C-alpha cells in the first residue's frame, strides 16, 4: 500500500483553507490543458442545457465556512439561479460534514448554516423547485462513503492537487483523515441523487474526476447504478477582495450579501487603489483598481472597459463612489428579501427540513439499488 504523503508545514502568513467552489481560483494547481478541456466541454454543455434542460440534474454546494459574499454571488450563486430558472432540477447541499475539515468553524456551524439558508432564499433559490439539504441530515447518503472508499486507492487520495493545495494552506497542525477522504464523500453527495452536472470552479475539477472514477468502478465491480457527472465550469472572472487579495470573509476584504449599505460603503472606501489618477481596466498591471472596475461592471451587467472609460479622470474617489452605488443598488432587493426571511426563521428552518426529507427519500432509494447491486442483505 502506498503511504500518504507528509504534511506540508503550515506557514503563519497563510490564510485559512480557501473557500473553494467560488467560481475560480487564483493559482490553479491544475495543468492548463485540463482546464482548457473542461472549458471546451462546458461550452458544449451550455448548448445542451439550452436545448434540453430537463435532462440535467445539478448538484452544487457551499462549504459552510462563513457568510456568502460577492465572490460567491458572481462566481456560482447567480449561475445556480440561472440554471434553476432554465428549468434544470437543482440540488443545493450544505456540506456540514465537509466543514469539519476546517475545525475552527464548527462551533459556529448552526449560525453559519442559517445564514446560508437566508442567502439562498434571498438570491432566488426557490424551494418549490430546488432542494436545499445538509450532509448530516441524510444518513443514507453518508452510507455510500464506505463502498466508495473501497473503490479508490490511498495513492489516488494523496495525489489530489486540490487537497494538497488545501493542506499547504491549512493553519492546522495535523492533517485529518477527512482531509484526504472528503472528495470521496463529495462523490457520494453527487451520486446519491444521480446528479449529472456540477457547476464548479477550477479547484473542484479533481473532485469531479474522482466522482466519475467512483461511478465507473462501481459499475465495473457491481452494476451500473450511477451516471458519470460532468463539470460545468463557471465563466465568471475572478473577483478579488477590496485589498486586492483573495476575497475571503476572514481577511475582512469581502462584501457579504447580508452586509448593510453603510458597511459596504465603508469597506469600499478603504479599498486599495493606486497613484494613477486616470482610471483604466488593466487587470494585469493595475489589479486593485481593475478589480473595483470589474465589481461595478458585474453589478451593472456592463463591460468593464466601458465603466473605466466613463470614470476616466474622476480618479479613485469617483471610482469608489461608482462601485458603492453599483453594489448597493444590485444588492438592495436581495438584502430586502434577506431581511424579510430573517423575520421568519421558522419558515427558513422548514425549508431545510423539507429539503432534507426529499434528499432522504432519494438517498434511501439509491441505497437500496446499491444494496441490491452489492448483494448485501438487510
Ligand atoms: N467541495 C465544495 C467546496 O469546497 C463543496 C461541496 C461538497 C460540493 N459537496 C459538493 C460542491 C457536491 C458540489 C457538489 O466548496
Amino acid at each position: 500500500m502506498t503511504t500518504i504523503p507528509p504534511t506540508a508545514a503550515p506557514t503563519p502568513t497563510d490564510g485559512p483553507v480557501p473557500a473553494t467552489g467560488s467560481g475560480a481560483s487564483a493559482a490553479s494547481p491544475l495543468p492548463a490543458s485540463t482546464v482548457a478541456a473542461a472549458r471546451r466541454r462546458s461550452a458544449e454543455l451550455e448548448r445542451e442545457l439550452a436545448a434540453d434542460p430537463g435532462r440535467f440534474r445539478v448538484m452544487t454546494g457551499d462549504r459552510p465556512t462563513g457568510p456568502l459574499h460577492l465572490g460567491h454571488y458572481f462566481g456560482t450563486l447567480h449561475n445556480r439561479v440561472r440554471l434553476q430558472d432554465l428549468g434544470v432540477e437543482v440540488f443545493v447541499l450544505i456540506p456540514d460534514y465537509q466543514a469539519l475539515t476546517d475545525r475552527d468553524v464548527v462551533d459556529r456551524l448552526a449560525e453559519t448554516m442559517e445564514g446560508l439558508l437566508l442567502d439562498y432564499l434571498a438570491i432566488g433559490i426557490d424551494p418549490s423547485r430546488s432542494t436545499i439539504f445538509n450532509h448530516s441530515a441524510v444518513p443514507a447518503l453518508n452510507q455510500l462513503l464506505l463502498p466508495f472508499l473501497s473503490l479508490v486507492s490511498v495513492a489516488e487520495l494523496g495525489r489530489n492537487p486540490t487537497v494538497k493545495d488545501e493542506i499547504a494552506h491549512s493553519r492546522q497542525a495535523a492533517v485529518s483523515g477527512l482531509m484526504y477522504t472528503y472528495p470521496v464523500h463529495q462523490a457520494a453527495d453527487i451520486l446519491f441523487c444521480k446528479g449529472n452536472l456540477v457547476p464548479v470552479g477550477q479547484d473542484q475539477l479533481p473532485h469531479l474526476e474522482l466522482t466519475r472514477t467512483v461511478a465507473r468502478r462501481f459499475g465495473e465491480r457491481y452494476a451500473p447504478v450511477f451516471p458519470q457527472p460532468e463539470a460545468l465550469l463557471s465563466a465568471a472572472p475572478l473577483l478579488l477582495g477590496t485589498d486586492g487579495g483573495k476575497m475571503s470573509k476572514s481577511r475582512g476584504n469581502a462584501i457579504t450579501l447580508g452586509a448593510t449599505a453603510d458597511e459596504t460603503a465603508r469597506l469600499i472606501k478603504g479599498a486599495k487603489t493606486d497613484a494613477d489618477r486616470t482610471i483604466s481596466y488593466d487587470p494585469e498591471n493595475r489589479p486593485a483598481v481593475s478589480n473595483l472596475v470589474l465589481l461595478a461592471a458585474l453589478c451593472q451587467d456592463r463591460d468593464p472597459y466601458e465603466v473605466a472609460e466613463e470614470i476616466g479622470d474622476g480618479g479613485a474617489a469617483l471610482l469608489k463612489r461608482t462601485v458603492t452605488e453599483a453594489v448597493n443598488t444590485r444588492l438592495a432587493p436581495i438584502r430586502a428579501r434577506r431581511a424579510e426571511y430573517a423575520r421568519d426563521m421558522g419558515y427558513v428552518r422548514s425549508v431545510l427540513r423539507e429539503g432534507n426529507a426529499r434528499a432522504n427519500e432519494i438517498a434511501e432509494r439509491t441505497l437500496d439499488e446499491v444494496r441490491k447491486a452489492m448483494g448485501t442483505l438487510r
Side-chain angles (χ1 to χ4, degrees):
M1 196 155 78
T2 320
T3 48
I4 290 174
T7 311
T11 56
T13 50
D14 279 335
V17 174
T20 51
S22 52
S25 82
S28 173
L30 300 183
S33 59
T34 306
V35 178
R39 229 172 254 309
R40 278 194 302 275
R41 180 62 193 137
S42 295
E44 270 170 38
L45 284 166
E46 283 293 348
R47 286 191 287 276
E48 291 175 33
L49 273 164
D52 187 8
R55 181 166 92 62
F56 293 95
R57 185 175 261 185
V58 160
M59 174 59 66
T60 66
D62 304 287
R63 201 182 288 201
T65 52
L68 297 175
H69 52 61
L70 282 175
H72 297 116
Y73 182 70
F74 288 113
T76 60
L77 301 176
H78 189 46
N79 193 36
R80 258 176 232 177
V81 178
R82 179 183 72 95
L83 291 168
Q84 168 193 273
D85 293 347
L86 214 58
V88 179
E89 189 175 7
V90 176
F91 282 73
V92 183
L93 162 66
I94 304 178
D96 50 354
Y97 278 145
Q98 189 175 317
L100 299 177
T101 48
D102 319 90
R103 249 180 339 199
D104 44 342
V105 301
V106 172
D107 54 338
R108 289 179 287 109
L109 199 52
E111 183 192 320
T112 303
M113 286 183 49
E114 287 184 352
L116 290 183
L117 288 167
L118 286 173
D119 289 334
Y120 293 151
L121 293 171
I123 61 160
I125 297 288
D126 172 2
S128 72
R129 289 180 286 164
S130 299
T131 304
I132 306 176
F133 70 104
N134 59 310
H135 268 160
S136 60
V138 188
L141 180 172
N142 296 303
Q143 254 191 280
L144 295 178
L145 187 57
L146 294 182
F148 284 3
L149 275 172
S150 78
L151 296 170
V152 291
S153 72
V154 171
E156 280 172 308
L157 296 177
R159 263 203 305 271
N160 185 309
T162 296
V163 169
K164 281 204 216 158
D165 195 57
E166 272 174 299
I167 290 170
H169 289 89
S170 167
R171 286 180 304 190
Q172 295 172 17
V175 183
S176 72
L178 188 62
M179 183 62 100
Y180 286 100
T181 52
Y182 87 76
V184 186
H185 199 168
Q186 187 158 336
D189 298 342
I190 297 165
L191 296 178
F192 92 93
C193 72
K194 305 189 182 180
N196 57 7
L197 192 64
V198 188
V200 289
Q202 293 178 17
D203 60 327
Q204 299 291 300
L205 289 176
H207 302 348
L208 238 294
E209 208 39 56
L210 180 77
T211 302
R212 294 166 60 81
T213 302
V214 166
R216 196 187 64 244
R217 288 184 189 160
F218 190 93
E220 285 161 4
R221 187 173 299 183
Y222 304 108
V225 172
F226 301 107
Q228 287 201 35
E230 297 198 82
L232 184 68
L233 266 190
S234 163
L238 181 69
L239 202 53
L240 302 173
T242 50
D243 58 358
K246 183 178 165 62
M247 190 183 278
S248 148
K249 175 69 178 148
S250 59
R251 295 188 188 190
N253 67 1
I255 301 163
T256 61
L257 299 183
T260 64
D262 284 349
E263 285 162 356
T264 303
R266 223 172 305 133
L267 207 57
I268 295 170
K269 198 160 180 211
K272 196 171 155 187
T273 51
D274 60 32
D276 189 344
R277 186 170 170 85
T278 309
I279 299 306
S280 60
Y281 185 62
D282 179 2
E284 192 102 324
N285 298 307
R286 302 181 72 185
V289 162
S290 301
N291 185 58
L292 287 172
V293 172
L294 175 64
L295 182 49
L298 286 170
C299 286
Q300 297 176 335
D301 288 316
R302 289 178 65 197
D303 176 59
Y305 290 98
E306 202 184 285
V307 171
E309 193 165 326
E310 207 170 276
I311 298 168
D313 289 336
L318 181 57
L319 171 63
K320 288 183 179 180
R321 239 181 298 138
T322 306
V323 176
T324 304
E325 159 100 23
V327 171
N328 282 337
T329 303
R330 175 77 181 232
L331 290 184
I334 293 175
R335 287 167 169 168
R337 275 198 301 272
R338 198 180 190 282
E340 216 168 288
Y341 284 119
R343 281 193 288 274
D344 192 357
M345 288 311 288
Y347 168 74
V348 172
R349 289 185 200 109
S350 79
V351 166
L352 185 62
R353 241 188 343 265
E354 278 167 34
N356 281 333
R358 178 165 154 67
N360 267 301
E361 224 173 88
I362 297 172
E364 286 292 351
R365 239 182 290 140
T366 304
L367 190 57
D368 269 345
E369 283 181 65
V370 164
R371 287 192 185 107
K372 215 168 284 153
M374 295 177 64
T376 52
L377 296 176
R378 63 188 315 238

